[in-house]
Structures are given as structure tokens and as C-alpha cells.
Amino acid sequence: MPQNNAMWSAQAHMPTVLAGSQTVIVKGDGAYIVTADGQRLLDAAGGLWYANVGHGREEIAEAAAAQLRTLETWHIFGRYANQPALDLANKIATLAPFEDAKVIFTSGGSDSVDMALKLARRHWQLQGQPEKLTVVSRNDSYHGLHAYGTSVAGLSFNRDGFGPGTLIPETLLIDQWDIEAAERTIRAHGGEKIAALITEPVMGVGGVVPPPAGYFERIKELAKEFGFLIIADEVVTAFGRLGTWTASERFNLEPDMITFAKGITSGYLPLGGVIVAPSVSRQFYEGADAPILHQGLTYSGHATVAAVGLKNLEIIEREGLLAHVRDLEPILAEELEGLRSHPGVKAVRHIGLMGGVDLADDVAGLAVVAELERHGVHLRNLPNNILQISPPFIITENELRLIVGSIRAALDTVLAS
């Protein structure tokens, strides 16, 4: 690696990176990526959960180029708009799990979480209940790394070193598995002070954790009892990861807001947003004295990014990729269940086209990842020593079996060394 590498890598121990561990990806092709030294790897992680339609889609590049030649962008502040942003918002609204959805665009997932949590507090201010400030989230949850997301996340290492407590103080963590324990925490805190509960329908960075049976049903009952909003953080799951347009639809979560990002463009350009239900949006849309939501980012609703988002959704629909995900779900489940008895594995979890493999305490996840690359498969090792499986939707059944077979072979090698 060149010594003049000025880039400060994300979530990285930089002395290790500078010592020569950096891998540079130079090309993507379908479900595969290629490194600078020419190695071709099956992208079993989908990048950072985003490569839903796969890499190197020529028609997405053409859609971006055509828009750039016409109008690179125009902002959406005040009375101004651009047509791709309008079209994409209208399209997203048709895919929402509730009627009369409104769409706020942001630049990415962390922006979207901050926007949703600010809007939750603004909502209760307008409702004459300013005491409702607390944001509830689940242990081991991940909600991005802006101020709100860092504060509410259940992964403490992302908060360490930024001062005592949390950046936003009015937060509350509840148990991610035991709904009775979660309910006790909410009642002890004072449920009437809660503005919103934000939850990943399926935890991503926390280890690919689907909700326990009955968990969200009880959460909805508590939300009704205490009058707090439900925000579904679907930055990972929205636009097909579970074989439905939203995970909220699959779990009948009935949220007041849905945050999204990664899958809306399959990572081709950065885009995020919040889908808002009438329970929150109506007050901003009705009457001459309707309040203004003071939000907006320079690149929210960026015309070229929106054009890419529209083309990405068109591909998902045209190629029947949601149905393909549903077809692959039982295959991934079968393959991962076969790993459960491996001595290098503590647990496995799976839903949709998502899988998590908890490695045994004496197995180094980074060593497994390195060995997997020698087998031609790229995976990520999540915090708490968990392998993340979230391949592009275009992956084949044989490639899916190859991923899990390679995990088994890599574990055998690491355990034998």
C-alpha cells in the first residue's frame, strides 16, 4: 500500500491498515467484486448491506448519465423541486405499508434516523405534550452514527469516548429479546414521557436478529397505551431484503415512520429518507396556519440520485427480485441450519436474504474472513464475532450454497491451525 494514503478509514484501527492490511476493490460485476490484485470474490455481504441488484449495472449508469446531461440537480427547498425527486417520492409512497405516505429525502441512513427522531419530538411539541422527549431503542441496536443515532444505539462502543452518558440525554434502552423485561423498563421510566420507540425490524449490525414471536405485537399495544410513536429503522431491510418492500409489512409493525437508505439505490449513489404516515404528517399539510418543518439538506432530493433510485426500483420490479428473495429464503435457512452443529459455531439466525453466524469464543472472526477470501468469498465480521450474510438479490441458489460451504471450510481450517 502506498505510504501517502491520506484516507482515514471508517471503523478502522489505522496502524493495522497502514501496516498493509488494506484491500482495494476496483471493480464490481453482478454478485462479484474484484480486488486491485485481481482476485474475484463473491460479495456475500452485499457491500454494507446495500448491493441489492448487484454491481456494474449498465442501465443504472446510463440513467445517471442521462440525468446529469439534462440537469445534475436542483434543490427541493421551499416551492422548488426537480422531477426525478417528485417521481421517486410518489413511487416510494405506493410501496409504503400505509396510505397517504409522505417522503422526506435525506443523504443517507444516519441522516434519516436524525430526521425521524427530530420529527418525533416536533410532533409532540405541536400536540401540546412537550414533556414527551424520550427515545426508546433496543439493546444491541444500531441506528447510524449521527448525534441521535449514536445516542440511541444499543451498541455501547459507538458511544465510548464522546463524553459521559449519551449525546442526546433523553434515551432509554430496552431488552431486545424479552418483551416482559422491555415492558417493565418502559413502565419504570414513565411511558407517558416517551416520544418514540425506534427499532430495526431485524437487527443488522447487532447480529442479524429477527424479532421474537409476539414482541412487536406487544410493542404496538404499549405504544397505544402510552401514546408514543413507532419508528421502523429499515435502512437495511427496506426495498426487498426480506422479500417484501418493507419489513414493516412482513411483521405488520404499523409504524408512524420508516427510515430508509441503502436499498433505495442499491448503493449506486447515496440517498436516504423517511416515509411518514398521516398520523404525523397531516398537521404539516392542512390549514393556512400549518407549521413548517425546519429541515432540509443540500443534497436531499438530488435529481441524479433520484433518477438512479427510480431505475433501481424498476429493476427490482422488472426482474421479480422480491419473489427471488422469497424463493432463496428457505435455501439459506437450510444451509445455515446445517452449520449449527459445527464446533466453531455458537448459533445461527436467518430471515429473508439475511443470515448471521455467531462464532465460538475461541474462533477469530477476522481469521475466518481472511480464509473465506482464499475460497473466493467476501464476508464481514460484525461486532461480537458474528458473520454477516446479505448477498445481492441476484445471487443464485448454487452461489448461496457456496457461501455457506465456504464458511464451513474456512472454520475447519481456522480450527485446525
Side-chain angles (χ1 to χ4, degrees):
M1 187 180 67
Q3 293 301 306
N4 62 345
N5 186 347
M7 186 180 74
W8 194 336
S9 299
Q11 300 277 18
H13 181 250
M14 289 311 298
T16 301
V17 172
L18 294 173
S21 70
Q22 190 173 65
T23 299
V24 179
I25 307 302
V26 297
K27 184 180 179 180
D29 176 22
Y32 292 82
I33 52 175
V34 180
T35 68
D37 60 6
Q39 187 178 17
R40 182 175 166 86
L41 301 171
L42 179 58
D43 181 11
L48 288 177
W49 314 91
Y50 53 66
N52 292 0
V53 301
H55 304 283
R57 289 273 190 165
E58 183 65 27
E59 62 182 303
I60 293 182
E62 290 173 355
Q67 185 60 47
L68 285 167
R69 294 188 190 102
T70 304
L71 173 69
E72 75 291 350
T73 196
W74 191 257
H75 65 82
I76 58 172
F77 279 58
R79 64 185 178 88
Y80 290 97
N82 64 74
Q83 196 61 51
L86 290 170
D87 292 344
L88 183 58
N90 289 334
K91 178 62 178 178
I92 291 170
T94 70
L95 307 178
F98 41 74
E99 296 295 323
D100 194 24
K102 307 301 181 188
V103 179
I104 300 171
F105 284 124
T106 71
S107 299
S110 293
D111 291 339
S112 301
V113 168
D114 267 30
M115 181 66 260
L117 295 181
K118 286 170 62 180
L119 180 52
R121 286 186 166 187
R122 182 73 173 119
H123 168 78
W124 292 115
Q125 292 280 327
L126 291 171
Q127 296 296 311
Q129 296 179 264
E131 72 281 0
K132 294 178 78 67
L133 293 172
T134 300
V135 176
V136 178
S137 54
R138 300 161 70 194
N139 288 326
D140 288 346
S141 61
Y142 177 78
H143 300 291
L145 291 175
H146 287 354
Y148 270 102
T150 300
S151 298
V152 303
L155 296 167
S156 60
F157 56 81
N158 280 328
R159 290 197 300 272
D160 292 345
F162 296 112
T166 58
L167 301 173
I168 308 298
E170 298 89 353
T171 61
L172 180 69
L173 286 172
I174 60 174
D175 196 281
Q176 77 275 42
W177 297 102
D178 187 339
I179 187 57
E180 293 182 358
E183 180 177 350
R184 287 194 297 270
T185 302
I186 288 172
R187 292 190 182 280
H189 175 80
E192 68 282 352
K193 295 183 289 187
I194 296 172
L197 179 143
I198 185 168
T199 181
E200 301 159 277
V202 177
M203 287 185 177
V205 176
V208 187
V209 183
Y215 192 99
F216 286 148
E217 286 77 6
R218 186 61 186 137
I219 287 295
K220 289 194 294 182
E221 292 171 356
L222 290 168
K224 185 175 182 180
E225 177 182 348
F226 290 111
F228 57 78
L229 303 177
I230 295 177
I231 301 170
D233 185 349
E234 296 216 37
V235 167
V236 167
T237 53
F239 307 108
R241 181 55 61 182
L242 301 190
T244 50
W245 284 113
T246 64
S248 296
E249 172 189 348
R250 175 159 176 166
F251 295 122
N252 192 29
L253 186 52
E254 299 178 320
D256 299 280
M257 289 181 262
I258 298 172
T259 62
F260 66 87
K262 303 175 185 292
I264 184 62
T265 65
S266 289
Y268 278 77
L269 286 175
L271 175 64
V274 185
I275 308 172
V276 187
S279 55
V280 174
S281 66
R282 187 177 295 115
Q283 62 200 319
F284 294 93
Y285 274 75
E286 296 179 354
D289 60 347
I292 294 173
L293 178 61
H294 291 286
Q295 67 85 30
L297 303 170
T298 301
Y299 297 121
S300 56
H302 191 284
T304 302
V305 179
V308 164
L310 284 163
K311 180 58 67 174
N312 175 67
L313 294 179
E314 176 191 318
I315 291 170
I316 292 173
E317 288 186 308
R318 187 181 72 231
E319 297 186 1
L321 293 181
L322 298 191
H324 188 55
V325 169
R326 293 193 295 270
D327 289 342
L328 291 176
E329 180 172 2
I331 296 167
L332 178 60
E334 175 190 11
E335 290 293 309
L336 286 177
E337 287 298 325
L339 277 181
R340 193 179 290 277
S341 60
H342 195 284
V345 173
K346 288 198 296 186
V348 298
R349 289 175 299 280
H350 43 78
I351 187 170
L353 205 51
M354 299 176 71
V357 179
D358 291 15
L359 300 177
D361 294 337
D362 60 345
V363 175
L366 292 179
V368 175
V369 168
E371 184 62 30
L372 275 164
E373 292 196 353
R374 285 187 274 275
H375 287 264
V377 174
H378 166 73
L379 273 183
R380 293 180 67 225
N381 184 46
L382 297 174
N384 302 322
N385 218 26
I386 299 169
L387 297 179
Q388 167 201 331
I389 302 168
S390 54
F393 300 170
I394 59 171
I395 197 166
T396 67
E397 178 180 333
N398 287 339
E399 289 168 336
L400 204 56
R401 296 187 189 281
L402 171 64
I403 292 169
V404 181
S406 297
I407 293 173
R408 182 179 290 105
L411 284 169
D412 290 343
T413 300
V414 170
L415 286 175
S417 62

